[in-house]
């Protein structure tokens, strides 16, 4: 399905591949995030039960300039994980950037395909164990059609990682988009539109809501590509949690995780017992929607989804052979940062103090992605703790840090 707006969108990403990336920077750093971090896929999609030796066939649907593709492919290569990541996008310019980034890293587990995700049912590609669709559905003429196309190439037992815009945290964006459409319609030359947008932003009054939104800065830090994608995009639809849940359910999927889960818990902010009595009767989607409305700072929603009929792949936290892994964190440094039995965390201006069990520091120092719970427990018992206390504190640590998307189960054979 294409229309005039869709053609304008295609022209945008040829002129300004998004996000703006310089392949030479690959020698300096690896950009990581969600969805599609390999540790998250192992945990939230497969519950740590899919063998690490089993090849993972992944699709980056709307791969853009390659952030998700490069991240997942590099993580697979670094961990010696077999499989392939297929980049799919209709932007030839974005492909050049993504391919150059892969070449700098010497990645040989990436394949490149040009095309639209709406053509997937007829492409001959797939099936894929994991599908990423980050920042794409909200630009399509029909997001439901796009999601259905992704589900159509999903292998049995597989899952999908989604990112869509959320309305409350993008306060000011759509007002500025309205103003710019009046001054520079989508049919004008992209470079001319960027020039107009830069001039408008310089003179936008202090009362403009976008100036008061500190969590949105792509128009400031993202170069011309970031500004265009945020403020000049010809089609941009945001989803509340209930709207996302309905979209997902309509495709025969269910949400396995909203990242990070703790952000979607209204009880983290509502400590009044009378209020908690009311939240206790809410289903998960309603609770998440309440947190979204209360906090007002969620500009995106990231969700890992699986087929509705698939069994819940609960991570085997109680299995002594389970290997816990910290996502992008050093356990020893994290242990040093604990303050009086609590862990300070912040999310886009919101700060929370999460309680930690007495053995949290000792546990964190021993979590390295290679050591099993049994080995960690034996070491703590040898140091003087009781097995009962270790089990109790281990469970408490998991309860706190899993919902932060920081303590996950490693895949193992």
């Amino acid at each position: 399905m294409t229309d005039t707006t869709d053609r304008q969108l295609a022209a945008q990403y040829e002129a300004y591949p998004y996000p703006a990336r310089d392949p030479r920077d690959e020698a300096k750093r690896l950009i990581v995030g969600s969805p599609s971090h390999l540790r998250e896929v192992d945990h939230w999609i497969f519950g740590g039960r899919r063998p690490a030796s089993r090849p993972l066939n992944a699709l980056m649907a709307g791969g853009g300039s390659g952030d998700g593709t490069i991240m997942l492919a590099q993580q697979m290569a670094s961990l010696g994980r077999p499989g392939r990541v297929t980049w799919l996008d209709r932007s030839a310019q974005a492909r050049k950037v993504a391919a150059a980034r892969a070449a700098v890293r010497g990645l040989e587990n990436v394949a490149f395909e040009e095309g639209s995700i709406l053509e997937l049912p007829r492409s001959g590609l797939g099936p894929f164990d994991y599908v990423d669709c980050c920042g794409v559905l909200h630009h399509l003429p029909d997001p439901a059609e796009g999601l259905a196309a992704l589900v159509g190439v999903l292998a049995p037992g597989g899952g999908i990682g989604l990112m869509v815009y959320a309305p409350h945290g993008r306060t000011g964006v759509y007002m500025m988009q309205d103003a710019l459409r009046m001054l520079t319609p989508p049919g004008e030359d992209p470079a001319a539109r960027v020039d107009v947008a830069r001039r408008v932003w310089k003179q936008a009054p202090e009362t403009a809501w976008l100036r008061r939104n500190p969590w949105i800065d792509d128009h400031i830090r993202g170069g011309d590509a970031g500004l265009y994608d945020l403020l000049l995009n010809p089609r941009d639809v945001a989803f509340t949690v209930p709207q996302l849940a309905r979209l997902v359910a309509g495709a025969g999927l269910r949400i396995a995780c909203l990242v990070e889960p703790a952000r979607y818990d209204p009880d983290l902010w509502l400590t009044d017992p009378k209020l908690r009595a009311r939240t206790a009767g809410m289903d998960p989607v309603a609770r998440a929607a309440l947190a979204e409305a209360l906090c007002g700072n969620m500009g995106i929603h990231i969700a890992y989804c699986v087929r509705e009929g698939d069994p819940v792949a609960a991570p085997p936290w109680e299995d002594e052979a389970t290997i816990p892994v910290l996502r992008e964190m050093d356990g020893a440094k994290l242990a040093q940062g604990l303050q009086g039995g609590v862990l300070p965390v912040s999310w886009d201006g919101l700060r929370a103090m999460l309680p930690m069990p007495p053995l949290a520091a000792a546990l964190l120092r021993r979590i390295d992605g290679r050591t099993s719970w049994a080995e960690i427990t034996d070491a703590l018992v040898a140091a003087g703790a009781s097995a009962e206390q270790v089990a109790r504190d281990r469970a408490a640590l998991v309860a706190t840090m899993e919902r932060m998307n920081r303590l996950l189960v490693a895949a193992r054979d």
Side-chain angles (χ1 to χ4, degrees):
M1 179 186 294
T2 60
D3 55 15
T4 299
T5 301
D6 192 58
R7 290 189 289 273
Q8 292 167 346
L9 193 69
Q12 166 190 335
Y13 290 121
E14 288 298 336
Y16 299 107
Y18 182 82
R21 296 290 183 243
D22 185 340
R24 293 172 294 184
D25 290 339
E26 296 307 312
K28 307 174 186 176
R29 52 88 182 105
L30 174 67
I31 295 174
V32 298
S34 303
S36 301
H37 191 291
L38 182 57
R39 297 298 194 184
E40 295 176 5
V41 174
D42 285 340
H43 184 92
W44 298 114
I45 299 294
F46 301 115
R49 301 175 188 274
R50 190 177 193 275
S53 59
R54 184 177 172 185
L56 180 70
N57 193 21
L59 171 69
M60 294 290 163
S65 55
D67 280 4
T69 301
I70 299 303
M71 174 184 67
L72 182 56
Q74 183 63 67
Q75 289 173 340
M76 291 170 64
S78 297
L79 292 173
R81 300 280 289 272
R84 182 175 68 176
V85 180
T86 298
W87 174 100
L88 174 71
D89 202 294
R90 57 183 177 175
S91 171
Q93 292 303 315
R95 175 177 180 168
K96 289 181 181 178
V97 177
R101 295 175 69 183
V104 169
R105 290 183 171 274
L107 294 173
E108 299 180 352
N109 57 350
V110 182
F112 293 91
E113 299 283 347
E114 285 187 31
S116 166
I117 68 173
L118 299 178
E119 299 166 357
L120 276 170
R122 301 172 295 280
S123 68
L125 298 175
F128 297 97
D129 306 301
Y130 173 71
V131 175
D132 170 289
C133 191
C134 182
V136 178
L137 292 181
H138 47 233
H139 295 316
L140 294 180
D142 185 350
E145 181 187 5
L147 187 54
L150 301 181
V151 174
V153 296
L154 186 63
I160 296 178
L162 300 175
M163 185 280 275
V164 296
Y165 294 148
H168 303 323
R170 285 169 68 81
T171 295
V173 170
Y174 299 108
M175 301 172 196
M176 191 60 66
Q177 285 183 3
D178 288 343
L180 289 172
R181 271 192 293 270
M182 299 177 200
L183 289 169
T184 176
E188 290 188 349
D189 176 71
R193 298 192 77 210
V194 167
D195 179 66
V196 171
R198 292 284 183 206
R199 293 172 183 273
V200 169
W201 180 245
K202 285 182 181 179
Q203 297 194 353
E206 291 303 313
T207 53
W209 278 109
L210 188 56
R211 286 206 182 279
R212 301 186 174 201
N213 188 339
W215 309 298
I216 300 293
D217 62 3
D218 217 13
H219 56 307
I220 300 170
R221 303 179 186 277
D224 289 349
L227 179 143
Y228 206 111
D229 195 66
L230 182 72
L231 299 180
L232 297 169
N233 203 298
R235 178 158 38 225
D236 172 343
V237 179
F239 294 81
T240 63
V241 170
Q243 289 169 337
L244 175 59
R246 286 194 292 270
L247 177 69
V248 166
L253 302 171
R254 60 178 171 83
I255 296 175
C257 168
L258 287 168
V259 178
E260 297 98 352
R263 294 194 68 170
Y264 293 87
D265 179 7
D267 289 351
L268 192 60
W269 316 110
L270 302 179
T271 58
D272 185 323
K274 290 188 176 180
L275 295 178
R276 286 192 172 184
R278 291 174 179 266
T279 64
M282 294 180 170
D283 62 45
V285 170
R287 289 176 61 85
L290 175 58
E292 175 185 22
L294 277 173
C295 295
N297 65 344
M298 297 181 189
I300 60 174
H301 294 307
I302 297 169
Y304 285 105
C305 307
V306 296
R307 284 192 174 90
E308 178 62 41
D310 286 354
V312 177
W317 283 119
E318 296 182 0
D319 186 343
E320 294 301 315
T322 288
I323 297 175
V325 61
L326 290 164
R327 180 202 178 281
E328 303 299 326
M329 300 184 86
D330 180 274
K333 291 182 180 179
L334 182 58
Q336 291 177 352
L338 296 183
Q339 300 177 3
V342 297
L343 179 67
V345 297
S346 61
W347 295 289
D348 297 324
L350 277 177
R351 184 175 174 85
M353 305 296 283
L354 303 182
M356 301 289 274
L359 291 178
L363 287 162
L364 289 168
R365 283 193 292 267
R366 291 168 172 80
I367 295 176
D368 57 10
R370 300 181 300 275
T371 307
S372 69
W373 275 140
E375 295 169 302
I376 292 173
T377 298
D378 287 347
L380 291 179
V381 170
S386 69
E388 293 76 14
Q389 183 184 11
V390 174
R392 183 174 59 252
D393 285 14
R394 195 175 85 181
L397 183 70
V398 168
T400 296
M401 296 202 63
E402 183 186 34
R403 67 190 191 122
M404 292 169 56
N405 193 40
R406 289 299 181 267
L407 184 59
L408 307 172
V409 166
R412 57 188 170 92
D413 291 333

